[in-house]
Amino acid sequence: YSFRIDLTQDLDTIEEHFSKTTKQRIQKSLKLETEVEIGTKEDIKEFYNLMMLTESRKDFVSYNEDYYETLYEIFNGNKNSKAILFLGKVNFNKTISALEKNLKRIKDQISIMPIDNLSKSAKSKLQELEKQRKSTAEEIEKYKEYKKQYGDSITLSAHMIIEYGNKSWVLYAGNHNVLSECYVNYNTYFEHIKKCKEDGIEIYDQFGTIGDLSKDNPRLGLHEFKKKFGGDYVEFI
């Protein structure tokens, strides 16, 4: 069983099939100005470290670092294939700057509202703006603390994609245990969907899911996550 996305569709159509939650989380990640970069062989160690974190969290068995390095070399040594390493990061300076701009925009909106004789709808709008102002200010302080703790940036997601012929597979995905509220994982998926489409890939395979959809299946959460990207649920012989 797997989920497969038809990349011959235009990107807008592909996005339309994303779940509402997925669209919102990608937008949240973009508003925080998270970054997705294509890594090199030198980034395999960082990828491996995130795979180890994911292994301990999700209770599955991974491989050693040499395995990933060898796989990367083999697929990039063949003219018909490619192994691409995607790194999803938070640059705290960029994120804080984006939040500060948003805070200024909210304060500007509050400042032009009349103080007296507010209509019911205006009062409601003012309350919502005040709520946004408070939560954004709190977010800024939170990311400043993160910067003290982790430095200028941190890699939260590292995914290895294999392209072969007209197909691609999301072979491995490692994610950090922290800052899940940045939804970097979602943005990283979106970026490699776009990259595979740009590379002329026609079928994007999310590399396996379950056939048993009972609620007590420990892999159901992973199935539901992959399902959110709107691919076709495929059963192979």
Side-chain angles (χ1 to χ4, degrees):
Y1 299 88
S2 190
F3 283 106
R4 285 186 154 188
I5 298 174
D6 176 7
L7 294 187
T8 64
Q9 305 171 97
D10 62 71
L11 190 60
D12 287 344
T13 303
I14 292 168
E15 282 187 70
E16 280 173 16
H17 292 131
F18 291 176
S19 73
K20 182 180 177 182
T21 305
T22 298
K23 292 175 187 174
Q24 289 171 340
R25 289 178 176 179
I26 290 169
Q27 284 306 309
K28 167 78 172 177
S29 192
L30 292 172
K31 283 179 182 176
L32 292 172
E33 296 203 14
T34 63
E35 303 170 337
V36 182
E37 301 172 357
I38 292 179
T40 65
K41 184 181 171 183
E42 282 65 46
D43 295 303
I44 294 288
K45 180 172 284 295
E46 192 160 31
F47 163 77
Y48 172 73
N49 290 337
L50 290 176
M51 288 300 297
M52 289 298 97
L53 285 174
T54 306
E55 176 185 315
S56 60
R57 188 173 67 248
K58 297 292 187 181
D59 189 28
F60 69 88
V61 178
S62 188
Y63 302 95
N64 60 33
E65 190 176 340
D66 288 343
Y67 166 85
Y68 295 114
E69 196 169 293
T70 303
L71 182 143
Y72 186 85
E73 288 173 351
I74 288 171
F75 277 93
N76 285 318
N78 183 328
K79 65 180 181 179
N80 297 317
S81 66
K82 197 188 294 182
I84 312 173
L85 190 59
F86 289 83
L87 304 172
K89 303 182 176 188
V90 175
N91 179 312
F92 293 112
N93 291 325
K94 281 189 175 182
T95 298
I96 291 165
S97 177
L99 289 167
E100 286 175 341
K101 284 177 186 173
N102 190 37
L103 182 60
K104 184 180 182 304
R105 179 187 61 79
I106 294 165
K107 285 179 175 178
D108 287 345
Q109 284 184 278
I110 292 171
S111 69
I112 61 173
M113 293 191 73
I115 299 171
D116 302 316
N117 301 319
L118 288 175
S119 65
K120 188 176 179 180
S121 61
K123 283 180 182 177
S124 179
K125 184 181 178 182
L126 182 59
Q127 285 175 350
E128 179 57 32
L129 285 170
E130 287 290 358
K131 188 177 171 184
Q132 289 178 19
R133 181 192 62 74
K134 184 183 176 185
S135 66
T136 305
E138 287 172 353
E139 271 201 292
I140 289 168
E141 292 309 309
K142 180 177 73 174
Y143 282 99
K144 283 180 178 178
E145 287 301 313
Y146 283 148
K147 184 181 174 183
K148 288 179 187 176
Q149 189 173 354
Y150 299 110
D152 287 341
S153 70
I154 183 172
T155 301
L156 297 178
S157 291
H159 300 176
M160 190 180 287
I161 313 301
I162 299 296
E163 293 184 355
Y164 190 92
N166 71 335
K167 300 179 183 70
S168 66
W169 289 263
V170 187
L171 205 59
Y172 302 112
N175 297 292
H176 212 302
N177 299 334
V178 298
L179 277 76
S180 58
E181 71 271 22
C182 298
Y183 301 117
V184 172
N185 190 28
Y186 285 81
N187 192 21
T188 307
Y189 262 91
F190 188 40
E191 285 301 315
H192 47 71
I193 287 171
K194 290 191 285 186
K195 170 65 175 164
C196 289
K197 182 168 175 58
E198 286 169 12
D199 287 350
I201 297 299
E202 296 176 355
I203 297 172
Y204 172 93
D205 192 310
Q206 288 175 271
F207 199 57
T209 186
I210 53 176
D212 169 20
L213 301 182
S214 56
K215 290 182 180 179
D216 59 350
N217 190 320
R219 301 291 180 225
L220 187 63
L222 181 63
H223 174 88
E224 291 300 319
F225 172 78
K226 292 183 177 184
K227 182 181 177 181
K228 289 177 182 178
F229 289 88
D232 296 317
Y233 183 37
V234 178
E235 179 183 4
F236 297 99
I237 295 173

Coordinates of all heavy atoms in Angstrom, one line a residue, residues 46-62 154-159 172-181 184-186 189 218-219 221-222 225:
E46 N 24.0 15.1 9.7 CA 22.8 15.8 10.3 C 21.5 15.1 10.0 O 20.7 14.9 10.9 CB 22.8 17.2 9.8 CG 21.8 18.1 10.6 CD 22.1 19.6 10.3 OE1 22.5 20.0 9.2 OE2 21.8 20.4 11.3
F47 N 21.4 14.6 8.8 CA 20.2 13.8 8.4 C 20.2 12.5 9.3 O 19.1 12.2 9.8 CB 20.4 13.4 6.9 CG 19.5 12.2 6.5 CD1 18.1 12.4 6.3 CD2 20.0 11.0 6.3 CE1 17.3 11.4 5.9 CE2 19.2 9.9 5.9 CZ 17.9 10.1 5.7
Y48 N 21.3 11.9 9.5 CA 21.4 10.6 10.3 C 21.0 10.9 11.7 O 20.2 10.1 12.3 CB 22.8 10.1 10.2 CG 23.0 8.9 11.2 CD1 22.5 7.6 10.9 CD2 23.8 9.1 12.3 CE1 22.6 6.6 11.8 CE2 24.0 8.0 13.2 CZ 23.4 6.8 12.9 OH 23.6 5.7 13.8
N49 N 21.4 12.0 12.3 CA 21.1 12.4 13.7 C 19.6 12.5 13.8 O 19.0 12.1 14.9 CB 21.8 13.6 14.1 CG 23.3 13.4 14.3 OD1 23.7 12.3 14.5 ND2 24.1 14.5 14.1
L50 N 18.9 13.2 12.8 CA 17.5 13.3 12.9 C 16.7 12.0 12.7 O 15.7 11.8 13.3 CB 17.0 14.4 11.9 CG 17.4 15.8 12.2 CD1 17.0 16.7 11.0 CD2 16.8 16.3 13.5
M51 N 17.3 11.1 11.9 CA 16.7 9.8 11.8 C 16.8 9.0 13.1 O 15.9 8.3 13.4 CB 17.5 9.0 10.7 CG 17.2 9.4 9.2 SD 15.5 9.3 8.7 CE 15.2 7.6 8.9
M52 N 17.9 9.2 13.8 CA 18.0 8.5 15.1 C 17.0 9.1 16.1 O 16.4 8.3 16.9 CB 19.4 8.7 15.7 CG 20.5 8.0 15.0 SD 20.3 6.2 15.0 CE 19.5 5.9 13.5
L53 N 16.7 10.4 16.1 CA 15.7 10.9 17.0 C 14.3 10.4 16.6 O 13.5 10.1 17.5 CB 15.7 12.5 16.8 CG 16.8 13.2 17.5 CD1 16.8 14.7 17.1 CD2 16.8 13.1 19.0
T54 N 14.1 10.3 15.3 CA 12.8 9.8 14.9 C 12.6 8.3 15.2 O 11.5 7.9 15.6 CB 12.6 10.0 13.4 OG1 12.9 11.4 13.1 CG2 11.2 9.6 12.9
E55 N 13.7 7.6 15.1 CA 13.7 6.1 15.4 C 13.3 5.9 16.9 O 12.4 5.1 17.2 CB 15.1 5.5 15.2 CG 15.1 4.0 15.6 CD 16.5 3.5 15.4 OE1 17.2 3.7 14.4 OE2 17.0 2.8 16.4
S56 N 13.9 6.7 17.8 CA 13.6 6.5 19.2 C 12.2 7.0 19.5 O 11.5 6.4 20.4 CB 14.6 7.3 20.0 OG 14.6 8.6 19.8
R57 N 11.7 8.0 18.8 CA 10.4 8.5 19.1 C 9.3 7.6 18.5 O 8.2 7.4 19.1 CB 10.3 9.9 18.5 CG 9.0 10.7 18.9 CD 9.1 12.1 18.4 NE 9.1 12.3 17.0 CZ 10.1 12.7 16.3 NH1 11.2 13.0 16.8 NH2 10.0 12.8 14.9
K58 N 9.5 7.1 17.3 CA 8.5 6.3 16.6 C 8.6 4.8 16.7 O 7.8 4.1 16.2 CB 8.5 6.7 15.1 CG 8.1 8.2 14.8 CD 6.7 8.5 15.2 CE 6.3 9.9 14.7 NZ 4.9 10.3 15.1
D59 N 9.7 4.4 17.4 CA 9.9 3.0 17.6 C 10.0 2.2 16.3 O 9.2 1.2 16.1 CB 8.8 2.4 18.5 CG 9.0 1.0 18.9 OD1 10.2 0.6 19.0 OD2 8.1 0.2 19.2
F60 N 10.9 2.5 15.4 CA 11.2 1.7 14.3 C 12.7 1.6 14.2 O 13.5 2.4 14.8 CB 10.6 2.3 13.0 CG 11.3 3.6 12.5 CD1 12.4 3.6 11.7 CD2 10.7 4.8 12.9 CE1 13.0 4.7 11.3 CE2 11.3 6.0 12.5 CZ 12.4 6.0 11.7
V61 N 13.2 0.6 13.4 CA 14.7 0.4 13.3 C 15.2 1.1 12.1 O 14.7 0.9 11.0 CB 15.0 -1.1 13.3 CG1 16.4 -1.4 13.1 CG2 14.4 -1.8 14.5
S62 N 16.2 1.9 12.2 CA 16.8 2.6 11.1 C 18.1 1.9 10.7 O 18.4 0.8 11.1 CB 17.1 4.1 11.5 OG 17.5 4.8 10.4
I154 N 18.4 26.2 13.4 CA 18.4 24.7 13.8 C 17.7 24.0 12.6 O 16.7 24.5 12.0 CB 17.6 24.5 15.1 CG1 17.6 23.1 15.5 CG2 16.2 25.1 15.0 CD1 17.0 22.8 16.9
T155 N 18.2 22.8 12.3 CA 17.6 21.9 11.3 C 16.6 21.0 12.0 O 16.9 20.3 12.9 CB 18.7 21.1 10.6 OG1 19.6 21.9 9.9 CG2 18.0 20.2 9.5
L156 N 15.3 21.1 11.6 CA 14.3 20.4 12.2 C 13.8 19.2 11.4 O 13.3 18.2 11.9 CB 13.1 21.3 12.5 CG 13.3 22.4 13.4 CD1 12.0 23.3 13.5 CD2 13.7 22.0 14.8
S157 N 14.0 19.2 10.1 CA 13.6 18.1 9.2 C 14.7 17.8 8.2 O 15.3 18.7 7.7 CB 12.3 18.5 8.4 OG 11.2 18.5 9.3
A158 N 14.9 16.5 7.9 CA 15.8 16.1 6.9 C 15.2 14.9 6.1 O 15.0 13.9 6.8 CB 17.2 15.8 7.5
H159 N 14.9 15.1 4.9 CA 14.2 14.1 4.1 C 15.1 13.7 2.9 O 15.7 14.5 2.2 CB 12.9 14.6 3.5 CG 11.9 15.0 4.6 ND1 10.7 15.6 4.3 CD2 12.0 15.0 6.0 CE1 10.1 15.9 5.4 NE2 10.8 15.5 6.4
Y172 N 13.2 8.4 3.1 CA 13.4 8.5 4.5 C 13.1 9.9 5.0 O 13.4 10.9 4.2 CB 14.9 8.2 4.9 CG 15.3 6.8 4.5 CD1 16.2 6.5 3.5 CD2 14.7 5.7 5.1 CE1 16.5 5.3 3.1 CE2 15.0 4.4 4.7 CZ 15.9 4.2 3.7 OH 16.3 2.9 3.3
A173 N 12.6 10.1 6.1 CA 12.3 11.4 6.7 C 12.6 11.4 8.2 O 12.0 10.6 9.0 CB 10.8 11.8 6.5
G174 N 13.5 12.2 8.6 CA 13.9 12.4 10.0 C 13.5 13.8 10.5 O 13.7 14.8 9.8
N175 N 12.9 13.8 11.7 CA 12.4 15.1 12.2 C 12.8 15.2 13.7 O 12.9 14.3 14.4 CB 10.9 15.2 12.1 CG 10.4 15.1 10.7 OD1 10.6 16.1 10.0 ND2 9.8 14.1 10.3
H176 N 13.1 16.5 14.1 CA 13.6 16.8 15.4 C 12.4 16.7 16.4 O 11.2 16.6 16.0 CB 14.1 18.2 15.5 CG 15.2 18.4 16.5 ND1 15.0 18.1 17.8 CD2 16.5 18.8 16.3 CE1 16.2 18.4 18.5 NE2 17.1 18.8 17.6
N177 N 12.7 16.6 17.7 CA 11.7 16.5 18.7 C 11.1 17.9 19.1 O 10.1 17.9 19.9 CB 12.2 15.8 20.0 CG 12.7 14.4 19.7 OD1 12.2 13.7 18.7 ND2 13.7 13.9 20.4
V178 N 11.8 18.9 18.7 CA 11.5 20.3 19.2 C 10.9 21.2 18.1 O 11.0 20.9 16.9 CB 12.7 21.0 19.8 CG1 13.2 20.2 21.0 CG2 13.8 21.2 18.8
L179 N 10.2 22.3 18.5 CA 9.7 23.3 17.7 C 8.7 22.8 16.6 O 8.7 23.2 15.5 CB 10.8 24.1 17.0 CG 11.5 25.2 17.8 CD1 12.4 24.6 18.8 CD2 12.2 26.1 16.8
S180 N 7.9 21.8 17.0 CA 6.9 21.2 16.1 C 5.9 22.2 15.6 O 5.3 22.1 14.6 CB 6.2 20.0 16.7 OG 5.6 20.4 17.9
E181 N 5.7 23.3 16.5 CA 4.8 24.3 16.1 C 5.2 25.2 14.9 O 4.4 26.0 14.4 CB 4.5 25.2 17.3 CG 5.7 26.2 17.7 CD 6.7 25.6 18.7 OE1 6.7 24.3 18.8 OE2 7.4 26.3 19.3
V184 N 7.8 22.8 10.1 CA 8.8 22.7 9.1 C 8.7 21.4 8.3 O 8.9 21.4 7.1 CB 10.2 22.8 9.7 CG1 11.3 22.5 8.7 CG2 10.4 24.2 10.4
N185 N 8.2 20.4 8.9 CA 8.1 19.1 8.2 C 7.1 19.2 7.1 O 7.3 18.7 5.9 CB 7.5 18.0 9.2 CG 7.6 16.6 8.7 OD1 8.4 16.3 7.8 ND2 6.7 15.8 9.1
Y186 N 6.0 20.0 7.3 CA 5.0 20.2 6.2 C 5.6 21.0 5.1 O 5.4 20.7 3.9 CB 3.8 20.9 6.8 CG 2.9 20.0 7.6 CD1 3.2 19.7 8.9 CD2 1.7 19.4 7.0 CE1 2.4 18.9 9.7 CE2 0.9 18.6 7.8 CZ 1.2 18.3 9.1 OH 0.4 17.5 9.9
Y189 N 8.0 18.8 3.0 CA 7.2 18.0 2.0 C 6.8 18.8 0.8 O 6.9 18.3 -0.3 CB 6.0 17.4 2.7 CG 6.2 16.0 3.2 CD1 6.7 15.7 4.5 CD2 6.0 14.9 2.4 CE1 6.9 14.4 5.0 CE2 6.2 13.6 2.8 CZ 6.7 13.4 4.1 OH 6.9 12.1 4.6
P218 N -0.7 0.7 15.3 CA 0.3 1.7 15.7 C 0.8 2.6 14.6 O 1.4 3.7 14.9 CB 1.4 0.9 16.4 CG 1.3 -0.4 15.8 CD -0.2 -0.6 15.5
R219 N 0.6 2.2 13.4 CA 1.1 3.0 12.2 C 0.0 3.9 11.6 O 0.2 4.5 10.6 CB 1.7 2.1 11.1 CG 2.8 1.2 11.6 CD 4.1 2.0 11.8 NE 5.2 1.2 12.3 CZ 6.0 1.5 13.3 NH1 5.7 2.6 14.0 NH2 7.0 0.7 13.6
G221 N -1.2 6.7 12.6 CA -0.9 8.1 12.6 C 0.0 8.5 11.4 O -0.3 9.6 10.8
L222 N 0.9 7.7 11.1 CA 1.7 7.9 9.9 C 0.9 7.9 8.6 O 1.0 8.7 7.7 CB 2.9 6.9 9.8 CG 3.8 7.0 8.6 CD1 4.6 8.3 8.7 CD2 4.8 5.8 8.6
F225 N -1.1 11.1 8.4 CA -0.2 12.2 8.0 C 0.0 12.2 6.5 O -0.2 13.2 5.8 CB 1.1 12.1 8.7 CG 2.1 13.1 8.2 CD1 2.0 14.4 8.6 CD2 3.1 12.7 7.3 CE1 2.9 15.4 8.1 CE2 4.0 13.7 6.8 CZ 3.9 15.0 7.2

